[in-house]
Amino acid sequence: MNGNIFVIGYSKVGKSPFAQHLAEQIEYKHISASEWVKQTFIPSSQNLSVKDYIKEITEYSKQQLIKENHNSCIRFIQQKYGTEYLNGKLVIDGIRNPRDFSFLFQPNTDKVILIEADHSIVAASAFERNWRTI
């Protein structure tokens, strides 16, 4: 198989563990697209519930993308992995921004795996609500 595999879904549905396992099984490299924000995010408290943590980090990432640099995720992936994403053989999870997805996704070669759950800890973004139309 050629191309990258994007694992998408709501927060806390198991995207990262699934993506890591899949990458190991098919000998691809795993990339967490949310790694860029986790490196700089500082929660308001060490005792946040999962729901509140997700709300805070989501708001923080929105602010970073809007106010600081709308290419933060893309720039992080390019700096850390170079043009490796163009060559395929990556399993990428954590894309929650349509701009990042449209930049990284190559429709002729890449695949998408959607992980769904009966419930979500936080409300879905517009992008997440519309994944089925991609």
Side-chain angles (χ1 to χ4, degrees):
M1 179 184 144
N2 292 329
N4 298 314
I5 300 171
F6 289 79
V7 179
I8 57 177
Y10 300 140
S11 294
K12 298 296 180 192
V13 296
K15 295 182 304 291
S16 292
F18 174 82
Q20 290 169 344
H21 180 73
L22 176 63
E24 289 173 13
Q25 294 301 308
I26 63 173
E27 298 180 356
Y28 273 35
K29 182 183 280 189
H30 172 248
I31 292 179
S32 172
S34 60
E35 185 180 350
W36 72 271
V37 73
K38 290 177 181 175
Q39 289 183 343
T40 58
F41 172 68
I42 300 171
S44 64
S45 167
Q46 295 299 322
N47 299 320
L48 288 176
S49 67
V50 173
K51 182 178 181 178
D52 288 337
Y53 176 86
I54 292 170
K55 284 182 181 179
E56 282 191 18
I57 197 168
T58 299
E59 186 58 34
Y60 175 79
S61 66
K62 286 180 191 176
Q63 293 304 313
Q64 292 298 306
L65 292 168
I66 293 168
K67 291 183 179 178
E68 299 295 324
N69 184 345
H70 58 274
N71 288 322
S72 294
C73 179
I74 295 166
R75 186 183 66 215
F76 171 81
I77 289 173
Q78 288 174 327
Q79 288 175 346
K80 186 165 183 178
Y81 301 100
T83 58
E84 204 172 339
Y85 68 92
L86 296 172
N87 301 327
K89 303 230 182 250
L90 299 174
V91 177
I92 304 170
D93 78 88
I95 298 277
R96 298 186 69 206
N97 179 337
R99 187 173 189 288
D100 298 339
F101 182 81
S102 63
F103 180 85
L104 296 169
F105 183 74
Q106 303 296 314
N108 294 333
T109 56
D110 295 347
K111 306 289 184 234
V112 176
I113 296 174
L114 171 63
I115 298 180
E116 294 184 294
D118 292 337
H119 65 283
S120 179
I121 294 174
V122 295
S125 69
F127 178 56
E128 291 168 329
R129 288 189 302 271
N130 292 306
W131 276 330
R132 289 177 176 251
T133 62
I134 294 174

